[in-house]
Amino acid sequence: MAFEIRILPGSAAPIFRQIVDQVRLAATTGQLRSGEQLPSVRALAERLLINPNTVARAYSELASDGVIESQPGRGAFVSASRQIYTRPERLRRIEPLVNALITEGLSLGFAVEELTDAIRARAAQVRGKQS
Amino acid sequence: MAFEIRILPGSAAPIFRQIVDQVRLAATTGQLRSGEQLPSVRALAERLLINPNTVARAYSELASDGVIESQPGRGAFVSASRQIYTRPERLRRIEPLVNALITEGLSLGFAVEELTDAIRARAAQVRGKQS
Amino acid sequence: MAFEIRILPGSAAPIFRQIVDQVRLAATTGQLRSGEQLPSVRALAERLLINPNTVARAYSELASDGVIESQPGRGAFVSASRQIYTRPERLRRIEPLVNALITEGLSLGFAVEELTDAIRARAAQVRGKQS
Amino acid sequence: MAFEIRILPGSAAPIFRQIVDQVRLAATTGQLRSGEQLPSVRALAERLLINPNTVARAYSELASDGVIESQPGRGAFVSASRQIYTRPERLRRIEPLVNALITEGLSLGFAVEELTDAIRARAAQVRGKQS
DNA sequence: GTGGTCTAGACCACG
DNA sequence: GTGGTCTAGACCACC
């Protein structure tokens, strides 16, 4: 598997959130294929040197979001990809992040073009990892 | 004053952060002019039905960010706008918001162009409030 | 750790400011190394016999100044040192202290050379603590 | 009189402190001569557009410091200049300002030479006003 | 255990 | 009246 979950120790984001985000993104971009098996809670916790509860919480959130399916005793598997949110719901979910970027960005003195450029650059980076 | 601070009770953002963000954005877009006086700590607390300490904390953060100047015994006033952070620091501060938008946006199934369009649209809205 | 925060009860400086200044200076001189963990909010409050909120406020200011990074649930750690303010902003921040020293110093009858000597002597002392 | 007290409205220093400092400095540098009469409390308050209580407080502090002598009904006069503090006392009084400048200056990334240069430059400015 | 936020209420300096 | 500081005590999210 080319896909490796990584925890950034200096990050402000909580560890369980980092795991959730990485798996969700990988599943969306195709880095993780539908049906693929994730490492077990215990194995991942050991590899990342973190508390198993933290991994369990991440998997639980992923399962309730429909990204993975946990089959007790067998493991966790990537779900068949599907749009789970309607377009209005997706807009509702992205809006606060757009607002935060605008507020912080303009206050820091960035031009709108600099922000959109940064988005494109970062997106290219992320997509580049796609296998 | 056309400018009114509003607290959204259901918001994930803490109250003091909502105040800071609204004042910063208003100062950036020119809705609040340099030299203009803000409502007093106690007055704003009363209007928003929150504790004066919460407002004081917001004002204190705005002062250390150079957005306002607090003059004990006199009041709080909007500063002349200036760039206080170095470019690397500004990039460092905007980066997590760019990452969050990309991660969440792509996971939700948005195309990169949809995200940059949303940024531009929201920025135009915000700038439109400028008096 | 050779580094010990101390509160001077008779000092004009507020408690949270004394903490901020001591940590900032220690981080600058290398007495506190990048990555090093600070005492927890509660532990330091207990040791200094002050309210945890006061320590929390000091840590929060240090974090927004880029001196430390607070990781909820993990602790507070010294950041890699970096220049976060533009040169005009740095001058703006040092100016009132220069003015205060000049005004008070000359009024007390010190010659300018005596003041610069005192600066150099004190700086040497401070740097000497470097490990 | 070449000497004019000026209040900087944007300054963080309290108004009474600004008055005290300017008078003390002027008396030390000879801009105000021994025996010279100061404006009356009411007159100064009117000219500076501030509360008479504030001027009265400044004069009272100056009088208790021996810089001026208030003669009820006649006005306030600059005292004969004299060293009122012993050298150890003068050092004791200047020390916290030296420490503050070092702490803030080094934390901001200034070199010691930059600080002493700033002191010299500012002192030259102040002395230049001398009549 | 960790840090973060909020409330309530007190006291101070300044104008 | 203004803002600034501190205490006490509560609740939350995260590990």
Side-chain angles (χ1 to χ4, degrees):
Chain A
M1 182 178 61
F3 172 62
E4 284 281 336
I5 292 175
R6 268 192 302 260
I7 299 303
L8 304 176
S11 169
I15 295 175
F16 87 92
R17 171 97 276 144
Q18 297 184 40
I19 297 174
V20 168
D21 285 346
Q22 288 177 47
V23 173
R24 275 212 299 171
L25 189 57
T28 305
T29 61
Q31 247 180 105
L32 277 176
R33 309 277 169 118
S34 155
E36 198 166 334
Q37 180 164 15
L38 292 176
S40 78
V41 166
R42 222 177 307 164
L44 187 54
E46 234 167 89
R47 175 148 65 79
L48 300 178
L49 302 171
I50 62 180
N51 194 309
N53 289 335
T54 304
V55 178
R57 172 161 183 195
Y59 278 19
S60 142
E61 182 159 327
L62 284 164
S64 85
D65 265 19
V67 178
I68 67 174
E69 277 159 42
S70 281
Q71 301 181 357
R74 296 199 30 236
F77 301 84
V78 178
S79 307
S81 79
R82 48 193 166 102
Q83 286 283 60
I84 60 174
Y85 299 119
T86 61
R87 181 162 176 86
E89 177 64 12
R90 286 160 59 215
L91 288 172
R92 207 188 61 79
R93 290 189 169 233
I94 204 66
E95 191 194 16
L97 294 175
V98 171
N99 287 345
L101 182 63
I102 290 288
T103 298
E104 184 78 9
L106 297 186
S107 299
L108 283 172
F110 287 106
V112 176
E113 273 313 303
E114 290 182 287
L115 298 178
T116 53
D117 286 352
I119 294 287
R120 267 189 289 267
R122 178 72 183 136
Q125 250 182 37
V126 165
R127 302 228 137 203
K129 287 190 197 162
Q130 208 171 334
S131 58
Chain B
M1 185 176 62
F3 173 61
E4 285 282 336
I5 293 174
R6 268 192 299 262
I7 299 305
L8 305 176
S11 168
I15 297 176
F16 84 92
R17 181 122 293 277
Q18 297 184 39
I19 298 173
V20 168
D21 283 346
Q22 288 177 45
V23 172
R24 277 208 300 179
L25 191 56
T28 303
T29 62
Q31 239 182 112
L32 276 176
R33 307 271 172 121
S34 160
E36 199 167 333
Q37 183 163 13
L38 293 177
S40 82
V41 167
R42 289 159 172 84
L44 187 54
E46 210 171 313
R47 175 145 66 79
L48 300 179
L49 301 173
I50 61 178
N51 191 291
N53 283 338
T54 304
V55 178
R57 176 166 180 196
Y59 279 18
S60 149
E61 182 154 328
L62 285 164
S64 83
D65 261 22
V67 177
I68 69 173
E69 277 161 42
S70 282
Q71 300 179 356
R74 283 170 267 175
F77 302 84
V78 179
S79 306
S81 83
R82 55 200 154 95
Q83 196 94 289
I84 74 171
Y85 296 114
T86 60
R87 182 161 177 86
E89 181 66 13
R90 287 162 59 216
L91 289 171
R92 224 189 59 87
R93 289 185 179 232
I94 203 65
E95 191 194 17
L97 295 174
V98 170
N99 287 345
L101 181 63
I102 289 289
T103 300
E104 183 74 10
L106 297 187
S107 296
L108 283 170
F110 286 105
V112 176
E113 274 313 304
E114 289 182 288
L115 298 178
T116 55
D117 286 352
I119 294 286
R120 267 189 289 269
R122 178 69 182 137
Q125 242 183 46
V126 162
R127 304 229 137 205
K129 286 192 195 162
Q130 208 169 335
S131 56
Chain C
M1 183 176 61
F3 173 63
E4 284 282 336
I5 292 174
R6 267 192 301 262
I7 298 304
L8 304 176
S11 168
I15 297 175
F16 85 92
R17 181 122 293 277
Q18 296 183 41
I19 298 174
V20 168
D21 284 345
Q22 287 176 47
V23 173
R24 275 208 301 178
L25 191 56
T28 303
T29 61
Q31 239 182 111
L32 276 176
R33 307 271 173 124
S34 159
E36 196 166 337
Q37 182 162 13
L38 293 176
S40 82
V41 167
R42 290 159 171 83
L44 186 54
E46 209 171 315
R47 175 145 64 80
L48 300 179
L49 302 172
I50 61 180
N51 191 291
N53 282 337
T54 304
V55 178
R57 176 166 179 194
Y59 279 19
S60 150
E61 183 154 327
L62 285 164
S64 83
D65 262 19
V67 178
I68 69 173
E69 276 161 43
S70 282
Q71 300 179 357
R74 285 170 265 176
F77 303 84
V78 179
S79 307
S81 84
R82 54 197 155 96
Q83 195 95 290
I84 74 171
Y85 296 114
T86 60
R87 182 161 176 87
E89 182 65 15
R90 288 162 58 218
L91 290 171
R92 224 189 60 85
R93 289 184 179 233
I94 204 66
E95 191 195 15
L97 295 174
V98 171
N99 287 345
L101 181 63
I102 289 290
T103 301
E104 184 74 9
L106 298 187
S107 295
L108 283 170
F110 285 105
V112 175
E113 274 313 304
E114 289 182 288
L115 297 178
T116 55
D117 285 353
I119 293 287
R120 267 189 290 267
R122 178 71 182 136
Q125 242 183 47
V126 162
R127 304 230 137 204
K129 287 191 196 163
Q130 208 168 336
S131 59
Chain D
M1 184 176 64
F3 174 62
E4 283 280 338
I5 292 175
R6 268 192 302 259
I7 299 305
L8 303 176
S11 168
I15 295 175
F16 88 91
R17 173 95 275 143
Q18 296 184 38
I19 298 173
V20 168
D21 284 348
Q22 288 178 46
V23 173
R24 275 211 300 172
L25 190 57
T28 306
T29 61
Q31 246 181 105
L32 276 176
R33 309 277 168 117
S34 155
E36 200 166 333
Q37 181 165 13
L38 292 176
S40 77
V41 166
R42 224 176 309 163
L44 187 54
E46 235 167 88
R47 174 147 67 78
L48 300 178
L49 302 172
I50 62 180
N51 192 310
N53 290 335
T54 305
V55 179
R57 173 161 182 194
Y59 278 20
S60 142
E61 182 159 327
L62 285 164
S64 86
D65 265 19
V67 178
I68 66 174
E69 277 160 41
S70 282
Q71 302 181 355
R74 293 195 38 231
F77 301 84
V78 178
S79 306
S81 79
R82 50 197 164 100
Q83 287 282 62
I84 59 175
Y85 299 118
T86 62
R87 182 164 175 85
E89 176 64 13
R90 286 161 59 214
L91 288 172
R92 206 188 61 80
R93 291 190 168 232
I94 203 66
E95 192 195 14
L97 294 174
V98 171
N99 287 346
L101 182 64
I102 289 289
T103 298
E104 184 78 9
L106 296 186
S107 300
L108 282 171
F110 287 106
V112 176
E113 274 312 303
E114 290 182 287
L115 298 178
T116 55
D117 286 353
I119 293 286
R120 267 189 289 269
R122 178 70 184 138
Q125 251 182 38
V126 165
R127 300 230 138 204
K129 285 190 197 162
Q130 207 170 337
S131 56

